[in-house]
Amino acid sequence: MEELSIVGKSFRRLDAVDKATGRAVYGSDVRLPHMLFGKILTTPYPHAKILTIDTKKAERLTGVKAVVTVQDVPDIRWGFLLKDQTLFAKDKVRFIGEAVAAVAATDKYTAEEALELIKVEYEELPAIFDPEEAMKSDAPLIHEAIDSYVAIWPCIKYGNIASHIKIQRGDLEKGLKESDLVFEDRFTTNPQHHGYIEPRASLANIDHSGKVTVWTATQAPFMIRMELAETLRIPMNKIRVITNQVGGGFGGKTDIFLEPYCTILAQRTAKPVKMALTRKEEFIAFGLRLPSIIEIKTGVMKDGQFVVRQAKLIYDTGAYAGVGPGVVGLGANYCLGPYKIPHVRVDGYCVYTNRIRGWWMRGPGAVQSNFASESQIDIIAEKLGIDPLELRMKNVTEEGQLSVTGQVLHSVGIKEALTKATEKAGWGKILEEKQGRGISCCQYETVGMGASAHVRINEDGTIGLVIGTVDIGGGSITILAQILAEELKVPLEDITVTCGDTDATPYDAGTFGDRVTYNMGNAVRLAARDIKEQLIQIAAGMLEAKPEDLEMKDRRIYVKGSPEKGIPLGELAMASHFFAGGPIIGKGSFFAQLPPYYQEGVEGHPFPSSPAHTFASQVAEVEVDEKTGKVKVLKITSAHDVGFAINPMAVEGQIEGSTIIGLGLALIEQLKEENGKITNPEFSDYRIPITLDIPKFETIIVEEKVKDGPFGAKGAGNPGLTLAPAAIANAVAAAIGVRIKDLPINPEKLWRALKEKGKE
Amino acid sequence: MKHQIQLTVNGELYDVVVEPRTTLVELLREELELTGTKEGCGSGVCGACTVLLDGKAIKSCLMLAVKANGKSVTTIEGLAKGTNLHPLQDSFVEHGAIQCGFCSPGMILTSKALLDENPNPSEDEVRSYLVGNLCRCTGYIKIIEAVLKSGK
């Protein structure tokens, strides 16, 4: 095995100094001369027919340059998975916060004033806020034309159910009969605001040929380009999307939101138009994590062996389901946890209500179903009198076993993760009163989709990596540069990365789903090998040697064993630019074929298989104050199988950050809604974790290499969040014998539960 | 009615004309084009807008520009000396305390205010001091480490 000198090391991130000095440019930092400011008018009604919209007064306000509504945009429904949404509400509004009009004015105050002058007449309709109500056959329809909606996979939809996902493996009835005990539990989870500190911002400019350039804070510039083309009917070669730095995404900046409004207004006014959401608008107008109701039925043998699991997942996707079905699909994939269970039946429902639309949010779908599954495992452990660690160890899945959809699992590091996490956490050691430990395990996945990279060599031998990827904070750019440097055996500082420009950089689907290291890492490796081969060929000619006798290292290509007989890389580039051959370009293109799965047993599922699975285990240690119901998380010990850590410090950062968002979901973050209205849309009232909330942290990186990942790497960012709520709930139950099955576990719920239990 | 004010920012004296409703963060970002200071919530909770006013960490989205008349402001752009990073900046970079980076300017400046007051804080003191700076990416763990190890 060759020695690795760059991957596997915690190099400083390439963009960190710019961020530390204020040089880094984010969405709202981009400005152009004469730019206008745009704002969106949102509706105050959860479900209502739009009767009239009168924009005349707004248009006449001094400083207002354009006002647009639904009639000013093509009549198109869009959505990444299910195309059910329009840019402006059409015929009726379906949630408080839905966009009804947009204005562009000389300054933001005038734009705000203009919004108040737009008169919209509504006729209210009965609204539904409870997904179980929405599922009833006599419920008023939220999307009457649901049958006509296009989906990009075979979607089962009817009534207010945007998507019904069915998974069946083995024989449910047989499994239930065989089981010694059957457990049935119901769990509910809360919505969650993404909470990225940067509210989104976009700026669109049109040139005289009609070419649109959009600078925007997004995780996926190519997704933005595609969706702009789709919704505004602009050819893709007339759209350029540029992303500099992004102040956090977590799934909330994957698709269009402000970009189409900026573009339309820029087209109308022939001026650049900038829009930025306020924090309040980020809460009420964009989208949140889907809240859920999960009913889990598990049959086990007396000795703890899992036999059968039936799960009913009801996820409330709110008014629109552009990505909701994907969230439910992932929830279905991970409602079994990383265990061997022969008989499985899952029904996942993505349900419309008149609440704010649901969106991707880190650990989408999985954190909800993991909370249910892992909580129930502890309930089972308690009833059977088996240690929760032992119960899990007895049932963990392994290499060659099947996923819930019947995909054969490869690179399965769960046993190691569970062992290491619990050992490090001191599982079994005595704690003080009112303290408890809880375990959570999860299986997660690395999403696929297209990835590509170009590599160039400059006349002085330094190297350019050109990629469409955006680094939203995970360290992607640095990791990919490290992979390239390792492949070409050059120092990391020789590499400059150009990224995030749909005109200048080759396609990458985007930074989400833990996919960049695996997919783009492979594309970069392919590009590296491509350029290396070409360089060696040229050097072979120049050195009059055979290619197989040459070696590339330390910025030179030389004859193996005779390093003095070689050529600097720069000379090769110089020669190819000025003397013969032509510029050398390395290219790599990668698409992870989705592995086969048990097709007969899976229906309506958008993501039934995945190129690589990750596994992780977490132990939370808590202390509960029974007088106040407050939970203090003392320590979290985490072991994550990431395949291979290209940059260990970046991987740790992902695990830590992800876990703390999970802690927020579990204990702190509480959205308040009244009849579809969010009543705490500010950080002052919707608390997210602060420095005083964080526990002691131990992170262990487990490396169960995946055979076709770059150096064996998989993904890292999502599992931390996925694990935390169950680990904490289990720890609380262990501490005080009270189990909360409804997130968040807040002081009031605990206090009431304790009171009921007869304690003080 | 606009007001003429004078303030020093990162050592340079500026004469500007502002509206009464203009906040200090708006003045810095729009008028003076110092976009290193960020606005994350507009209501003084997230701390992304933190600057040093006469050495003290304040939330610039909560201060009206007119109130900064005659004052001295330090923004993130004023910390490094040319290409020489302030020890805190270097420590943040070294210890992986910067992910998306949006909270970093505010976080670094608040940390500087802490270390200027108390050069050897305990971990608890660092946590308490940074309570008004939100971060969604890092979970704070490496940020606290970076502050504790700054300059060491």
Side-chain angles (χ1 to χ4, degrees):
Chain A
M1 242 292 281
E2 238 193 301
E3 243 231 40
L4 301 172
S5 57
I6 299 180
V7 297
K9 308 248 177 341
S10 297
F11 281 92
R12 290 188 168 208
R13 293 197 198 190
L14 302 182
D15 51 11
V17 172
D18 274 357
K19 291 171 177 176
T21 54
R23 276 208 178 80
V25 176
Y26 294 82
S28 60
D29 299 334
V30 184
R31 51 206 51 205
L32 287 172
H34 312 297
M35 70 184 182
L36 301 174
F37 295 88
K39 283 218 73 89
I40 304 173
L41 177 68
T42 60
T43 179
Y45 294 100
H47 201 197
K49 277 196 210 144
I50 300 174
L51 301 174
T52 60
I53 305 182
D54 183 355
T55 60
K56 284 198 276 308
K57 262 189 137 173
E59 288 169 48
R60 287 203 297 264
L61 181 67
T62 309
V64 171
K65 300 300 176 190
V67 182
V68 293
T69 64
V70 68
Q71 57 211 31
D72 300 305
V73 298
D75 185 13
I76 294 199
R77 289 200 180 267
W78 75 278
F80 174 53
L81 293 172
L82 177 61
K83 298 183 187 297
D84 64 354
Q85 186 156 5
T86 48
L87 293 177
F88 293 110
K90 182 180 173 200
D91 302 328
K92 65 174 186 172
V93 294
R94 293 181 173 87
F95 73 96
I96 296 177
E98 185 166 4
V100 169
V103 310
T106 47
D107 63 274
K108 69 178 184 194
Y109 296 111
T110 307
E112 269 166 22
E113 212 185 316
L115 293 184
E116 298 188 18
L117 296 174
I118 300 175
K119 293 282 161 275
V120 187
E121 253 191 278
Y122 295 99
E123 183 190 304
E124 280 192 80
L125 297 167
I128 312 174
F129 306 112
D130 178 341
E132 285 177 305
E133 285 300 312
M135 285 171 83
K136 291 190 178 148
S137 53
D138 58 352
L141 277 185
I142 296 171
H143 284 267
E144 293 91 339
I146 189 174
D147 290 337
S148 69
Y149 292 166
V150 172
I152 67 167
W153 84 106
C155 173
I156 302 168
K157 49 183 162 66
Y158 49 90
N160 284 324
I161 295 170
S163 166
H164 180 181
I165 294 167
K166 306 183 199 185
I167 302 174
Q168 190 153 281
R169 225 177 2 87
D171 185 334
L172 182 72
E173 293 310 319
K174 179 164 177 267
L176 288 169
K177 267 206 206 81
E178 275 174 9
S179 305
D180 290 332
L181 283 111
V182 176
F183 292 80
E184 278 188 68
D185 292 282
R186 180 179 155 110
F187 299 87
T188 48
T189 69
N190 40 348
Q192 186 175 31
H193 171 58
H194 295 79
Y196 29 70
I197 307 300
E198 178 203 30
R200 75 192 61 230
S202 306
L203 169 63
N205 194 25
I206 320 276
D207 73 14
H208 284 288
S209 75
K211 170 90 181 272
V212 179
T213 303
V214 180
W215 291 264
T216 186
T218 180
Q219 303 176 224
F222 284 93
M223 192 74 81
I224 303 297
R225 184 181 73 164
M226 185 174 79
E227 291 173 349
L228 276 176
E230 183 185 354
T231 53
L232 298 179
R233 290 210 177 111
I234 305 173
M236 281 198 207
N237 67 327
K238 293 295 203 177
I239 302 172
R240 177 182 188 186
V241 181
I242 300 172
T243 297
N244 299 300
Q245 296 296 347
V246 182
F250 314 114
K253 291 177 182 165
T254 50
D255 295 72
I256 51 173
F257 189 72
L258 292 176
E259 298 87 351
Y261 306 124
C262 289
T263 304
I264 291 241
L265 290 167
Q267 284 173 331
R268 277 301 178 95
T269 59
K271 290 224 156 82
V273 176
K274 183 168 181 180
M275 294 177 83
L277 288 190
T278 61
R279 177 57 54 182
K280 181 174 172 179
E281 286 166 334
E282 275 288 356
F283 268 95
I284 68 154
F286 174 66
L288 302 170
R289 182 190 295 285
L290 281 71
S292 70
I293 298 165
I294 299 186
E295 289 171 355
I296 282 207
K297 190 188 228 178
T298 305
V300 305
M301 303 307 283
K302 271 197 298 270
D303 67 357
Q305 191 175 329
F306 297 161
V307 178
V308 56
R309 163 149 310 160
Q310 181 175 17
K312 181 176 178 191
L313 317 175
I314 299 173
Y315 283 58
D316 178 346
T317 190
Y320 293 97
V323 304
V327 176
V328 182
L330 292 171
N333 285 351
Y334 303 114
C335 69
L336 246 62
Y339 307 107
K340 291 178 286 205
I341 307 184
H343 308 286
V344 170
R345 165 93 186 251
V346 182
D347 284 278
Y349 297 94
C350 179
V351 184
Y352 285 126
T353 62
N354 292 114
R355 291 177 55 256
I356 186 169
R357 66 181 188 167
W359 206 256
W360 301 124
M361 167 52 178
R362 203 171 192 178
V367 64
Q368 295 94 324
S369 66
N370 185 272
F371 172 65
S373 168
E374 289 293 312
S375 291
Q376 193 186 55
I377 288 178
D378 267 32
I379 291 172
I380 295 171
E382 194 183 24
K383 182 74 185 215
L384 296 180
I386 300 177
D387 177 284
L389 168 58
E390 209 187 299
L391 181 62
R392 287 175 170 86
M393 270 304 184
K394 190 183 177 65
N395 290 286
V396 279
T397 191
E398 49 209 2
E399 181 84 24
Q401 289 292 319
L402 298 177
S403 77
V404 69
T405 54
Q407 175 187 346
V408 176
L409 294 172
H410 159 62
S411 165
V412 179
I414 184 61
K415 205 172 227 166
E416 194 183 340
L418 178 57
T419 306
K420 289 192 165 156
T422 46
E423 251 168 40
K424 197 74 200 253
W427 184 262
K429 292 210 188 105
I430 310 283
L431 288 165
E432 288 176 34
E433 260 201 59
K434 310 304 170 201
Q435 288 184 354
R437 284 193 195 96
I439 303 174
S440 174
C441 291
C442 82
Q443 177 181 316
Y444 204 74
E445 68 184 55
T446 294
V447 160
M449 293 189 249
S452 60
H454 292 160
V455 179
R456 298 185 196 147
I457 180 144
N458 304 320
E459 294 95 331
D460 63 354
T462 55
I463 305 203
L465 173 59
V466 185
I467 48 180
T469 311
V470 171
D471 190 333
I472 60 171
S476 320
I477 301 303
T478 307
I479 284 168
L480 295 173
Q482 281 181 254
I483 290 174
L484 181 61
E486 185 72 61
E487 286 284 329
L488 299 181
K489 300 259 174 283
V490 297
L492 186 60
E493 65 254 27
D494 278 10
I495 303 192
T496 293
V497 185
T498 303
C499 54
D501 180 334
T502 59
D503 269 7
T505 59
Y507 187 91
D508 176 32
T511 303
F512 48 76
D514 291 355
R515 67 174 289 282
V516 174
T517 301
Y518 179 85
N519 296 282
M520 278 300 301
N522 276 325
V524 169
R525 277 195 108 178
L526 289 168
R529 283 170 196 181
D530 182 37
I531 204 173
K532 189 172 170 180
E533 235 174 75
Q534 293 177 61
L535 289 166
I536 291 202
Q537 283 296 331
I538 299 169
M542 288 167 81
L543 292 170
E544 290 176 343
K546 286 204 261 231
E548 52 268 31
D549 293 334
L550 296 177
E551 187 170 355
M552 179 166 151
K553 204 174 173 191
D554 297 329
R555 303 161 166 152
R556 301 177 80 244
I557 293 183
Y558 53 85
V559 176
K560 286 181 193 166
S562 311
E564 73 287 352
K565 217 181 160 221
I567 311 181
L569 294 182
E571 253 181 63
L572 292 168
M574 188 74 90
S576 67
H577 291 179
F578 293 105
F579 297 112
I584 308 160
I585 303 169
K587 69 174 169 61
S589 173
F590 182 79
F591 189 92
Q593 278 308 324
L594 295 183
Y597 62 98
Y598 180 54
Q599 285 183 294
E600 300 89 273
V602 180
E603 273 183 82
H605 197 326
F607 303 127
S609 77
S610 152
H613 286 99
T614 49
F615 297 86
S617 185
Q618 205 177 84
V619 180
E621 202 176 290
V622 307
E623 189 175 78
V624 184
D625 181 337
E626 285 185 334
K627 280 209 156 63
T628 60
K630 276 201 96 170
V631 175
K632 188 173 153 93
V633 185
L634 302 171
K635 185 170 172 201
I636 291 185
T637 311
S638 224
H640 288 238
D641 165 25
V642 301
F644 177 77
I646 306 275
N647 185 316
M649 192 158 68
V651 170
E652 270 171 26
Q654 283 297 285
I655 293 170
E656 290 162 6
S658 184
T659 302
I660 298 305
I661 300 180
L663 188 157
L665 182 68
L667 295 173
I668 300 170
E669 297 180 41
Q670 179 113 49
L671 198 77
K672 296 178 197 155
E673 293 176 74
E674 267 166 43
N675 298 322
K677 183 175 172 144
I678 295 168
T679 57
N680 62 337
E682 294 282 6
F683 278 150
S684 47
D685 206 9
Y686 175 96
R687 227 172 60 67
I688 69 172
I690 56 176
T691 48
L692 297 180
D693 294 316
I694 60 172
K696 288 219 176 322
F697 222 89
E698 291 269 12
T699 308
I700 302 158
I701 294 174
V702 170
E703 291 178 332
E704 186 61 43
K705 297 193 174 130
V706 70
K707 61 180 184 284
D708 44 13
F711 302 99
K714 301 185 276 193
N718 279 299
L721 202 162
T722 303
L723 291 165
I728 291 171
N730 286 340
V732 169
I736 55 170
V738 154
R739 177 164 293 281
I740 305 294
K741 292 161 143 185
D742 168 52
L743 292 180
I745 300 168
N746 60 30
E748 185 182 336
K749 283 180 202 164
L750 260 183
W751 183 85
R752 285 189 192 282
L754 281 167
K755 244 191 146 202
E756 261 184 57
K757 206 179 175 211
K759 296 183 186 177
E760 194 54 281
Chain B
M1 201 200 96
K2 298 202 176 176
H3 292 266
Q4 177 127 21
I5 63 168
Q6 214 182 56
L7 71 165
T8 306
V9 182
N10 300 332
E12 283 208 40
L13 192 63
Y14 289 94
D15 265 294
V16 284
V17 173
V18 295
E19 289 187 21
R21 64 182 166 185
T22 306
T23 57
L24 179 57
V25 68
E26 285 169 341
L27 168 62
L28 292 169
R29 288 180 52 80
E30 319 291 328
E31 273 300 314
L32 304 185
E33 295 181 306
L34 292 164
T35 55
T37 308
K38 306 300 178 196
E39 194 163 357
C41 71
S43 55
V45 180
C46 76
C49 67
T50 304
V51 296
L52 302 180
L53 186 82
D54 291 344
K56 198 164 166 242
I58 61 120
K59 295 189 175 168
S60 60
C61 75
L62 290 182
M63 173 173 268
L64 294 177
V66 290
K67 292 291 242 177
N69 185 31
K71 306 274 189 217
S72 174
V73 176
T74 306
T75 69
I76 190 67
E77 291 95 336
L79 227 55
K81 304 239 176 302
T83 52
N84 291 324
L85 296 179
H86 185 280
L88 263 173
Q89 289 169 314
D90 190 73
S91 190
F92 267 61
V93 172
E94 176 67 20
H95 293 101
I98 301 178
Q99 289 190 28
C100 85
F102 200 75
C103 77
S104 302
M107 196 69 78
I108 290 170
L109 286 170
T110 305
S111 303
K112 179 180 190 298
L114 164 63
L115 295 182
D116 285 349
E117 256 177 55
N118 176 0
N120 280 302
S122 66
E123 189 177 321
D124 278 343
E125 283 171 324
V126 175
R127 286 190 188 212
S128 294
Y129 209 91
L130 291 179
V131 90
N133 287 81
L134 299 181
C135 174
R136 196 55 155 169
C137 293
T138 67
Y140 305 103
I141 288 147
K142 294 190 188 318
I143 289 175
I144 292 169
E145 189 187 344
V147 177
L148 290 170
K149 291 185 174 164
S150 173
K152 300 188 165 76

